[in-house]
Amino acid sequence: MSFNSFGHLFRFTTWGESHGPAIGCVVDGVPPRIPLSEADIQPWLDRRRPGQSRFTTQRREPDQVRILSGLFDGQTTGTPISLLIENEDQRSKDYSEIKDRFRPGHADYTYWAKYGIRDYRGGGRSSARETASRVAAGAVARKVLDHVLGKSAVIRGALVQMGPHAIDRTRWDWAAVEENPFWCPDAAMVATWETHLDGVRKGGSSTGAVIEVVASGLPAGLGAPIYGKLDADLAAAMMGINAVKGVEIGAGFAAASLSGEENADEMRMQDGRVTFLSNNAGGILGGISTGQDIVVRFAVKPTSSIPTPRHSVTKDGENVEVATKGRHDPCVGIRAVPVGEAMLAIVLADHLLRHRGQCG
Amino acid sequence: MSFNSFGHLFRFTTWGESHGPAIGCVVDGVPPRIPLSEADIQPWLDRRRPGQSRFTTQRREPDQVRILSGLFDGQTTGTPISLLIENEDQRSKDYSEIKDRFRPGHADYTYWAKYGIRDYRGGGRSSARETASRVAAGAVARKVLDHVLGKSAVIRGALVQMGPHAIDRTRWDWAAVEENPFWCPDAAMVATWETHLDGVRKGGSSTGAVIEVVASGLPAGLGAPIYGKLDADLAAAMMGINAVKGVEIGAGFAAASLSGEENADEMRMQDGRVTFLSNNAGGILGGISTGQDIVVRFAVKPTSSIPTPRHSVTKDGENVEVATKGRHDPCVGIRAVPVGEAMLAIVLADHLLRHRGQCG
Amino acid sequence: MSFNSFGHLFRFTTWGESHGPAIGCVVDGVPPRIPLSEADIQPWLDRRRPGQSRFTTQRREPDQVRILSGLFDGQTTGTPISLLIENEDQRSKDYSEIKDRFRPGHADYTYWAKYGIRDYRGGGRSSARETASRVAAGAVARKVLDHVLGKSAVIRGALVQMGPHAIDRTRWDWAAVEENPFWCPDAAMVATWETHLDGVRKGGSSTGAVIEVVASGLPAGLGAPIYGKLDADLAAAMMGINAVKGVEIGAGFAAASLSGEENADEMRMQDGRVTFLSNNAGGILGGISTGQDIVVRFAVKPTSSIPTPRHSVTKDGENVEVATKGRHDPCVGIRAVPVGEAMLAIVLADHLLRHRGQCG
Amino acid sequence: MSFNSFGHLFRFTTWGESHGPAIGCVVDGVPPRIPLSEADIQPWLDRRRPGQSRFTTQRREPDQVRILSGLFDGQTTGTPISLLIENEDQRSKDYSEIKDRFRPGHADYTYWAKYGIRDYRGGGRSSARETASRVAAGAVARKVLDHVLGKSAVIRGALVQMGPHAIDRTRWDWAAVEENPFWCPDAAMVATWETHLDGVRKGGSSTGAVIEVVASGLPAGLGAPIYGKLDADLAAAMMGINAVKGVEIGAGFAAASLSGEENADEMRMQDGRVTFLSNNAGGILGGISTGQDIVVRFAVKPTSSIPTPRHSVTKDGENVEVATKGRHDPCVGIRAVPVGEAMLAIVLADHLLRHRGQCG
């Protein structure tokens, strides 16, 4: 048990606050002799990095990762890999006025209720800045998957809904995802989201989103029932990302409205292999992967930091109004896409090693 | 790490298959000197027990629990509590014809892919019968909550959607939940569900559901960020229940469509206490409880065992049709209500002890 | 984390008290498709069983094990294996007079100090009866080792010292171990121990012992530095056995008196393989197995239950004399031999699976 | 489960190699609002630091610790505390000649056998340099004990045997420990050890040692039977320290030679409290603390790095002679004293929080 670790055989432990000197993580359990360098991790951090378009926070963090341990001659040694990212653009003054007041929708009140002390600078430990460590660990997890599976696995994500505007799934194009600032797979939706987000930002508001992450090329058999189920671990992984309020696998909540005939994915032999004729299961049955695409969606609430004043209270029990200034994402869901991908890779790497341990 | 254990300080380990001699669990970490007997557990098992109306499976299991350890003079001793439930109405012959074929929607294929062997009798380990152990452990968790919190906590659940038919939340009445065979809190919806379910059953089909479980009277401060978040643990707990495909907290997926102003629950002092003016957060911010109701919903897919034939394959790679005979719930979501309550109680008991350990 | 579980990938959880209806354990993480039946476990339990000579307790327990889950068609399925042993010859009346008084050397006082309640019948949870569960789990661990390693591993133990009488190691003969009631590998020592133990028993006293357990045929590479070292896990495994007060690996405490030249086991190539010219390391360097014999010794204190009266106190703070009647082993170390073997097998099975998980 | 983490509620994860840029650890589970700064940690590191007398390695490391997270306004916040120590005096060239050869007594061969790759510079991950992280974490653990127990606990250690020269325990004087370079509690022994160690060093050899660490002022009730026993966790903690080959509690191995009457510590009421008349148990019965001094001893083998040539082999299977040059401690046991103290503090802090979690 550890409060700040995730995973079992592939396991990472994160530390650091938004406005401390640095953040980082220790990645443990990595198989030996995997070629690894900062260059394998940095591109994934760059995808999550703020300040890359007018649609994300203007905080400027280079998010340059350093590997402090666990490598020799450019390869993993099986020992823990310590990753460190310095905080640079901290501007702590931005936050002094929320020192004694609890921002609605934030963890300010709950950290204070739990610990009796809180680092109010940028949200401290509860800041989404911590997700950079997840992305860094996720990059290592991808290397583990490639090493064990021979590069068969592809893990990617997309924004499938912003505010009330959901994409048209029939227009899904993975290539489009890389061509707009929203990771939107439906090119025809991009203009709508731009207009929506500009309106939100100018109105001093924020908006939520739904992210879908997909893993292809994974074998059947990953997942450890009953209490190490692949879907249960994925649910924890995604629900634990900042601002996430819902997680679903495959058909998800829509499955409740399906009939038994519609929902149960039929099987046929094709080219000598078991093939499913649909994927309502999202690639997981009984907590174990089916070999189909693993499909996970999660809902991100609107950014709680908004310029529009909201009712709140202070530590000393006074009623106040809180209007959050500073630099914030109007839709944190956008930057949650690479974070969701990372968590998916991490869960799969862990389960791959666990499966190998038990079943060979 | 354990594949078949759940929780940390309050922790249970389950074992057993649908058609073995018995199922059971070991509940560990229970505080000492809590009065406990079978009579504290049996009523919760009775709520989950099959065969109580025409709307659930006709398998007749008394589900009589025996406590084999951990008690002395009617009190817990702090040592592990072993709970055992014998399987009685097994009828293994019902299942012989699915020995070599994979039932669509079931874990048949994945267990076989993972382990190369499977107990096909009633789903073996993947049977929903295992959830009786969860309910038994949940009954112990309720005693722990009562013991530590002085009976302030109330944990209950309801079915809020069956198939396409969602309740009208403005008619929510907790008293109604106990007065119909569906745990429906909207009395006006009961007739609709009866009609729907009779139709489903007669049509050889099945239907899904959405369950909502709510914990009231819990203190603020439960949950251990970043990787022991209360919502992440709840997501794992619920997603790990058989047939669950989605989990959400508070506003859940609907939060994606809210504006920042709508979503962030405002606070005001009332009677000298911090009070929230809404509960989109579902009682959890930053992974820590706020002291409001903790609200979790989860979607259950339609029962995969249906009489209508479906395409499938055999172990030997032949295409076949599978029509499941035997005794099955047309809507497994109904019996998932007490299971969801139990998992909620378990997660909360664990977090209560973990919080006490770290923070006193 | 669990208070009553041991191991990680191969993991068992025990439950039960000396005078409850039964004791047992749940063994999790076992690879699938290993042939297993009660007949694989019973012989090891029979070795530990009391009442087999005049030198052990006269409590008569058949210690018949039942497998309640985890098997199908005579093979493991990868799901948890529940093992149950009923308590039969309990005679709770023997213990009524120690209800309020703390037996010196026993856990009576500490359980009461910790929990404020204790099952005083036969020591309750702290009874050495619990070790039957370890032996049962150890039998499963042996099957795992055989399955993964192709029966190369041999795990066995011996008593190497009773009271002040240590064996002459130059006379070590594994065959002798099976030919006397003490598991003594030095046939010439048996008569001395008989005389010693008869004297101890007649004098109303008890005596301690040193046990040595050895694993041969294990590969190099098992153990997970820095905090999953093979020797650290073995130390925990052995120190956790009832009445154990010391554990050493290889040369152990004697290593403190050796010179660096004497201690560091030299290496030479022999028949194309790395071979060590001595084994002061006891088969473990840096927490990882070398491929040599793994050699662990542990010291067992004299049985605390003795007829000779000893000063003690009651729950209510009165000074009293305690003389333990009832049926007790004059040297619990004898029956600790199969327990130590079992714990060695368990640690090795766990590390074998963990190693396979990380390193393939 | 994690390979490089230790503890449960109080838990630390270490990383880093002898010749990487830095080493460090993440300490998790610390209660909030404990005043903490580098000044609380540095003195303990200074005690372990090399190069302080002619009797330890001449490697010059300032071992300056930096706290990177987990504090706010000089207090712990309940979030993970990241500690970093830079490596400065690395001299990697010293080690180039052992690149392909396995030093006898070291982990060179086993790391290579396990991982197929090893960082040969200074032993890489297996270097005793890692113990600086333990000492740093131990300093935090001491603060936790002080915080929860009101400074009642005193944790200290001493060297009680060097090579064949054991102290006379009747001359034990804790004040003496601070007055010689060996942490020797028997002032009359110091000259003997100086002569012994000078001889060892000049002879190109090394020598072993036995360390005793003692915790006073701890309450009864710490320890979690059956598989979280305090003595089992202490055994793992000490056996996991580099070069340790044996661990004993209280009378330890000598208990094997005691009679039952001698061994079982009698009890009497004194000043209204339960008092033990002896402490053969070393403060632990049934895995739970008695409230007496907790006494742990461990044996450290002679330093494996010695200038005298020893037989060995290379990665490529050639027989060679290895004579270790470079800077090494002739008796690593000396610097193991503060490491043992740290591990004792860590185990106790963890158990204190675990006990509070379960039992309040």
Side-chain angles (χ1 to χ4, degrees):
Chain A
M1 169 178 156
S2 182
F3 295 136
N4 289 281
S5 300
F6 186 87
H8 297 265
L9 274 181
F10 181 93
R11 185 176 176 93
F12 73 109
T13 300
T14 83
W15 55 269
E17 286 86 30
S18 176
H19 286 60
I23 61 172
C25 64
V26 182
V27 184
D28 203 0
V30 177
R33 298 190 311 278
I34 302 179
L36 183 72
S37 73
E38 279 91 349
D40 293 302
I41 302 173
Q42 198 60 50
W44 304 105
L45 282 169
D46 291 346
R47 289 166 70 92
R48 196 210 69 103
R49 193 150 49 92
Q52 301 193 92
S53 79
R54 74 176 187 275
F55 301 110
T56 59
T57 173
Q58 297 306 300
R59 177 170 173 169
R60 299 279 169 189
E61 287 290 354
D63 279 356
Q64 205 75 36
V65 68
R66 283 180 62 206
I67 303 178
L68 296 182
S69 68
L71 296 188
F72 190 67
D73 279 349
Q75 291 189 311
T76 59
T77 60
T79 63
I81 299 170
S82 177
L83 303 174
L84 187 132
I85 300 168
E86 294 190 27
N87 288 328
E88 302 205 348
D89 186 15
Q90 305 169 2
R91 300 199 201 167
S92 292
K93 63 182 155 45
D94 286 352
Y95 295 96
S96 56
E97 77 170 24
I98 54 151
K99 177 181 171 187
D100 296 318
R101 42 186 68 189
F102 304 126
R103 294 169 300 164
H106 274 286
D108 298 354
Y109 172 68
T110 52
Y111 270 67
W112 180 81
K114 181 177 189 70
Y115 298 120
I117 184 175
R118 72 186 175 98
D119 180 349
Y120 51 79
R121 300 166 306 161
R125 180 70 180 148
S126 74
S127 166
R129 178 140 188 73
E130 188 269 348
T131 58
S133 291
R134 301 179 188 231
V135 171
V140 180
R142 288 175 187 268
K143 296 289 286 187
V144 172
L145 293 172
D146 284 352
H147 177 75
V148 178
L149 298 175
K151 306 208 174 185
S152 74
V154 176
I155 291 168
R156 49 194 175 178
L159 206 71
V160 298
Q161 182 182 330
M162 181 188 291
H165 307 291
I167 63 160
D168 179 344
R169 297 182 71 89
T170 64
R171 292 195 298 244
W172 190 296
D173 175 13
W174 279 111
V177 167
E178 303 292 325
E179 289 163 2
N180 63 75
F182 308 117
W183 317 110
C184 180
D186 172 4
M189 178 56 74
V190 173
T192 305
W193 286 2
E194 280 183 354
T195 306
H196 173 67
L197 202 52
D198 280 331
V200 161
R201 194 156 47 92
K202 285 169 189 159
S205 185
S206 62
T207 194
V210 177
I211 288 93
E212 181 167 321
V213 288
V214 179
S216 308
L218 273 295
L222 305 187
I226 303 291
Y227 296 97
K229 284 183 174 178
L230 185 57
D231 41 6
D233 281 1
L234 287 169
M238 301 307 163
M239 193 67 92
I241 298 172
N242 306 48
V244 171
K245 300 305 288 185
V247 181
E248 58 184 15
I249 309 285
F253 276 86
S257 304
L258 297 177
S259 71
E261 301 91 295
E262 291 164 335
N263 181 68
D265 306 309
E266 295 184 293
M267 286 172 268
R268 273 293 177 254
M269 297 305 296
Q270 287 183 3
D271 305 328
R273 306 184 55 172
V274 174
T275 309
F276 290 83
L277 306 184
S278 55
N279 191 14
N280 288 306
I284 302 173
L285 285 171
I288 305 174
S289 67
T290 63
Q292 287 188 285
D293 280 4
I294 294 167
V295 180
V296 187
R297 269 182 306 284
F298 55 94
V300 176
K301 70 181 184 183
T303 316
S304 298
S305 301
I306 48 175
T308 302
R310 300 275 85 195
H311 290 345
S312 188
V313 300
T314 68
K315 284 200 315 189
D316 304 316
E318 290 173 286
N319 287 333
V320 290
E321 302 302 294
V322 173
T324 307
K325 292 160 195 165
R327 304 154 297 171
H328 296 286
D329 294 281
C331 176
V332 283
I334 300 170
R335 288 173 56 213
V337 174
V339 181
E341 293 172 352
M343 294 306 292
L344 178 53
I346 286 164
V347 170
L348 291 170
D350 186 27
H351 274 280
L352 192 62
L353 300 186
R354 292 167 79 181
H355 177 71
R356 186 163 76 170
Q358 185 184 13
C359 298
Chain B
M1 168 178 155
S2 182
F3 296 136
N4 289 281
S5 300
F6 186 87
H8 297 267
L9 275 181
F10 180 93
R11 182 174 177 94
F12 74 109
T13 301
T14 83
W15 55 269
E17 286 85 31
S18 176
H19 286 60
I23 61 170
C25 64
V26 182
V27 184
D28 201 1
V30 177
R33 299 191 309 281
I34 303 179
L36 183 72
S37 74
E38 278 91 350
D40 293 302
I41 301 172
Q42 197 61 49
W44 304 105
L45 281 169
D46 291 345
R47 290 167 69 92
R48 194 210 70 100
R49 193 149 48 94
Q52 302 193 91
S53 78
R54 72 176 188 275
F55 303 111
T56 58
T57 172
Q58 296 307 300
R59 178 170 172 167
R60 300 277 169 191
E61 286 290 355
D63 279 356
Q64 207 73 36
V65 68
R66 285 179 62 205
I67 302 178
L68 296 182
S69 67
L71 297 188
F72 189 67
D73 278 350
Q75 293 190 308
T76 60
T77 59
T79 63
I81 299 169
S82 178
L83 303 173
L84 186 132
I85 300 166
E86 293 190 28
N87 290 328
E88 304 205 348
D89 185 15
Q90 304 169 5
R91 300 198 202 169
S92 292
K93 62 179 155 54
D94 286 351
Y95 296 96
S96 56
E97 75 169 23
I98 53 151
K99 178 180 169 187
D100 295 317
R101 42 185 67 190
F102 305 126
R103 294 169 299 164
H106 275 287
D108 298 354
Y109 172 67
T110 53
Y111 270 67
W112 180 82
K114 182 178 188 70
Y115 298 119
I117 184 174
R118 72 187 176 96
D119 180 349
Y120 53 80
R121 300 165 305 162
R125 179 71 181 148
S126 74
S127 166
R129 177 138 188 77
E130 187 269 347
T131 59
S133 291
R134 300 179 189 232
V135 171
V140 180
R142 287 174 187 268
K143 297 289 285 186
V144 172
L145 293 172
D146 284 353
H147 177 76
V148 177
L149 297 175
K151 305 207 175 187
S152 73
V154 176
I155 291 168
R156 48 193 175 179
L159 205 71
V160 298
Q161 182 181 330
M162 182 189 291
H165 307 290
I167 64 160
D168 178 343
R169 299 182 69 88
T170 63
R171 294 196 297 245
W172 190 296
D173 174 13
W174 280 111
V177 167
E178 303 292 325
E179 290 163 3
N180 64 76
F182 308 118
W183 318 109
C184 180
D186 171 5
M189 177 56 73
V190 172
T192 305
W193 288 2
E194 281 182 354
T195 306
H196 173 68
L197 202 51
D198 279 332
V200 160
R201 197 157 45 93
K202 287 168 189 161
S205 183
S206 62
T207 193
V210 177
I211 288 95
E212 180 166 320
V213 289
V214 180
S216 308
L218 273 295
L222 304 187
I226 303 293
Y227 296 97
K229 286 183 173 178
L230 185 57
D231 41 5
D233 281 2
L234 287 168
M238 303 307 164
M239 192 69 90
I241 298 172
N242 305 46
V244 172
K245 301 305 287 184
V247 181
E248 57 183 15
I249 309 284
F253 275 88
S257 303
L258 297 177
S259 71
E261 301 91 295
E262 292 164 335
N263 181 69
D265 306 310
E266 295 185 293
M267 287 172 268
R268 273 293 177 255
M269 298 306 296
Q270 286 182 4
D271 305 327
R273 304 185 56 171
V274 175
T275 308
F276 290 82
L277 307 184
S278 55
N279 191 15
N280 288 306
I284 303 173
L285 285 171
I288 305 174
S289 66
T290 64
Q292 288 188 286
D293 281 4
I294 295 167
V295 181
V296 187
R297 266 182 308 282
F298 56 94
V300 176
K301 69 182 185 184
T303 315
S304 297
S305 301
I306 49 176
T308 302
R310 300 275 85 196
H311 291 344
S312 189
V313 298
T314 68
K315 283 200 315 188
D316 304 316
E318 289 173 286
N319 288 334
V320 290
E321 301 302 292
V322 174
T324 309
K325 291 159 197 166
R327 305 153 296 172
H328 296 286
D329 293 280
C331 177
V332 281
I334 299 170
R335 289 172 56 213
V337 174
V339 181
E341 293 172 353
M343 294 307 291
L344 179 53
I346 286 164
V347 170
L348 291 170
D350 186 29
H351 274 281
L352 192 62
L353 300 187
R354 292 168 78 180
H355 178 71
R356 185 163 77 169
Q358 185 184 15
C359 298
Chain C
M1 169 177 154
S2 182
F3 296 137
N4 290 280
S5 300
F6 185 87
H8 297 267
L9 274 181
F10 180 93
R11 183 175 176 93
F12 74 109
T13 300
T14 83
W15 55 269
E17 286 84 31
S18 176
H19 286 60
I23 60 171
C25 64
V26 183
V27 184
D28 202 1
V30 177
R33 297 192 310 281
I34 302 179
L36 182 73
S37 75
E38 279 91 350
D40 293 302
I41 302 173
Q42 197 60 49
W44 304 106
L45 282 169
D46 291 346
R47 291 165 70 92
R48 194 211 70 101
R49 194 149 48 94
Q52 302 193 92
S53 79
R54 72 176 188 276
F55 302 111
T56 59
T57 174
Q58 297 307 301
R59 178 168 172 168
R60 300 277 168 192
E61 286 290 355
D63 279 357
Q64 207 72 36
V65 68
R66 284 180 62 206
I67 302 177
L68 297 182
S69 68
L71 296 189
F72 190 67
D73 278 349
Q75 292 189 309
T76 60
T77 60
T79 63
I81 299 169
S82 178
L83 303 174
L84 186 131
I85 300 166
E86 293 190 29
N87 289 329
E88 303 204 348
D89 185 16
Q90 303 169 5
R91 301 200 200 168
S92 293
K93 60 179 156 54
D94 285 352
Y95 296 96
S96 56
E97 76 169 23
I98 54 151
K99 178 180 169 187
D100 295 318
R101 41 186 68 189
F102 305 126
R103 295 169 299 164
H106 274 287
D108 297 354
Y109 172 68
T110 53
Y111 269 68
W112 179 81
K114 182 177 189 70
Y115 298 120
I117 184 175
R118 74 187 174 96
D119 181 349
Y120 53 78
R121 299 166 305 162
R125 179 72 180 146
S126 73
S127 167
R129 177 138 188 76
E130 188 269 347
T131 58
S133 291
R134 301 180 189 230
V135 171
V140 181
R142 287 174 187 270
K143 297 288 286 186
V144 172
L145 292 172
D146 283 353
H147 177 76
V148 177
L149 297 175
K151 308 208 173 186
S152 74
V154 176
I155 292 169
R156 49 195 173 178
L159 206 71
V160 298
Q161 181 181 331
M162 182 189 291
H165 307 289
I167 64 160
D168 178 344
R169 299 182 70 90
T170 64
R171 293 195 297 246
W172 190 296
D173 174 14
W174 279 111
V177 167
E178 303 292 325
E179 292 163 2
N180 63 77
F182 308 118
W183 318 110
C184 179
D186 172 5
M189 177 56 74
V190 173
T192 305
W193 287 2
E194 281 183 352
T195 306
H196 173 68
L197 201 52
D198 279 331
V200 160
R201 197 157 44 94
K202 287 168 189 162
S205 184
S206 62
T207 194
V210 177
I211 287 95
E212 181 166 319
V213 289
V214 180
S216 308
L218 272 296
L222 303 188
I226 303 294
Y227 296 97
K229 285 183 173 178
L230 184 57
D231 40 6
D233 281 2
L234 287 169
M238 302 306 164
M239 192 68 91
I241 298 172
N242 305 45
V244 172
K245 300 305 286 185
V247 181
E248 56 183 15
I249 309 284
F253 275 87
S257 304
L258 297 177
S259 70
E261 301 92 297
E262 291 164 335
N263 180 69
D265 305 311
E266 295 184 292
M267 286 172 268
R268 275 292 176 255
M269 298 305 297
Q270 287 182 1
D271 304 327
R273 305 184 57 171
V274 174
T275 308
F276 291 82
L277 307 184
S278 55
N279 191 14
N280 289 305
I284 303 174
L285 286 171
I288 305 175
S289 67
T290 63
Q292 289 187 283
D293 279 4
I294 295 168
V295 180
V296 187
R297 267 182 307 283
F298 56 94
V300 177
K301 68 181 185 184
T303 316
S304 298
S305 301
I306 49 177
T308 302
R310 300 275 85 196
H311 291 344
S312 188
V313 299
T314 68
K315 284 200 315 189
D316 304 316
E318 290 173 287
N319 287 334
V320 290
E321 302 302 292
V322 172
T324 308
K325 291 159 196 165
R327 305 154 296 172
H328 296 286
D329 294 280
C331 176
V332 282
I334 299 170
R335 289 173 56 213
V337 174
V339 181
E341 292 172 353
M343 294 306 291
L344 178 54
I346 286 165
V347 170
L348 290 170
D350 186 29
H351 274 281
L352 191 62
L353 300 186
R354 292 167 78 181
H355 177 71
R356 186 163 77 171
Q358 184 183 15
C359 298
Chain D
M1 168 178 156
S2 182
F3 296 136
N4 289 281
S5 300
F6 186 87
H8 297 267
L9 275 182
F10 180 93
R11 183 175 176 94
F12 74 108
T13 300
T14 82
W15 55 268
E17 286 87 30
S18 176
H19 286 62
I23 62 171
C25 64
V26 182
V27 184
D28 202 0
V30 177
R33 299 191 311 280
I34 302 179
L36 182 72
S37 74
E38 278 92 349
D40 292 303
I41 302 173
Q42 197 61 48
W44 304 106
L45 281 170
D46 291 347
R47 289 166 71 92
R48 195 211 68 101
R49 191 150 50 93
Q52 302 192 91
S53 78
R54 73 175 188 276
F55 301 110
T56 58
T57 172
Q58 297 307 300
R59 178 169 172 169
R60 300 277 168 191
E61 286 290 354
D63 277 357
Q64 206 73 37
V65 68
R66 285 179 61 205
I67 302 178
L68 297 182
S69 68
L71 296 188
F72 190 67
D73 279 350
Q75 292 189 311
T76 59
T77 59
T79 62
I81 299 170
S82 178
L83 302 174
L84 186 132
I85 300 167
E86 293 190 28
N87 289 329
E88 302 205 348
D89 185 16
Q90 303 169 3
R91 300 199 201 169
S92 292
K93 62 179 154 49
D94 286 352
Y95 296 95
S96 55
E97 76 170 24
I98 54 151
K99 178 180 169 187
D100 296 317
R101 42 185 69 189
F102 305 126
R103 294 169 300 164
H106 274 286
D108 297 354
Y109 172 68
T110 53
Y111 270 68
W112 180 82
K114 182 178 189 69
Y115 298 120
I117 185 175
R118 72 186 174 98
D119 181 349
Y120 52 78
R121 298 166 306 161
R125 179 72 180 146
S126 74
S127 166
R129 177 139 188 75
E130 189 269 349
T131 59
S133 291
R134 300 180 189 230
V135 171
V140 180
R142 287 174 186 269
K143 297 288 286 186
V144 172
L145 293 172
D146 284 352
H147 177 76
V148 177
L149 297 174
K151 305 208 175 186
S152 74
V154 176
I155 291 167
R156 49 194 174 178
L159 206 71
V160 298
Q161 182 182 331
M162 181 188 290
H165 307 291
I167 64 160
D168 179 344
R169 297 182 71 90
T170 65
R171 292 194 300 242
W172 190 296
D173 175 11
W174 278 112
V177 167
E178 302 292 325
E179 290 162 2
N180 63 74
F182 307 118
W183 319 110
C184 180
D186 172 3
M189 178 56 74
V190 174
T192 305
W193 286 2
E194 280 183 354
T195 306
H196 173 67
L197 202 51
D198 279 332
V200 160
R201 196 158 45 93
K202 286 170 189 160
S205 185
S206 62
T207 193
V210 176
I211 287 93
E212 181 167 320
V213 289
V214 180
S216 308
L218 273 295
L222 304 187
I226 303 292
Y227 296 97
K229 285 184 173 177
L230 185 57
D231 41 5
D233 281 2
L234 287 169
M238 302 306 164
M239 193 67 92
I241 298 172
N242 305 47
V244 172
K245 300 305 287 185
V247 182
E248 57 183 15
I249 309 285
F253 276 87
S257 304
L258 298 176
S259 71
E261 301 92 294
E262 291 165 335
N263 181 69
D265 306 310
E266 295 184 293
M267 286 172 268
R268 273 293 177 254
M269 298 305 296
Q270 287 183 2
D271 305 327
R273 306 184 55 172
V274 174
T275 309
F276 290 82
L277 307 183
S278 55
N279 192 15
N280 288 306
I284 303 173
L285 286 170
I288 304 176
S289 67
T290 64
Q292 287 188 285
D293 279 5
I294 294 167
V295 180
V296 186
R297 268 183 306 284
F298 56 94
V300 176
K301 69 182 184 183
T303 316
S304 298
S305 300
I306 48 175
T308 301
R310 300 274 85 194
H311 290 344
S312 188
V313 300
T314 68
K315 285 201 313 189
D316 304 316
E318 291 173 285
N319 287 334
V320 290
E321 302 302 293
V322 173
T324 308
K325 292 160 194 165
R327 304 154 297 170
H328 296 286
D329 294 280
C331 176
V332 282
I334 300 171
R335 289 171 55 213
V337 174
V339 180
E341 293 172 352
M343 294 307 290
L344 178 54
I346 286 164
V347 170
L348 291 170
D350 185 29
H351 274 280
L352 192 62
L353 301 186
R354 292 167 78 180
H355 177 72
R356 185 163 77 171
Q358 185 184 14
C359 298

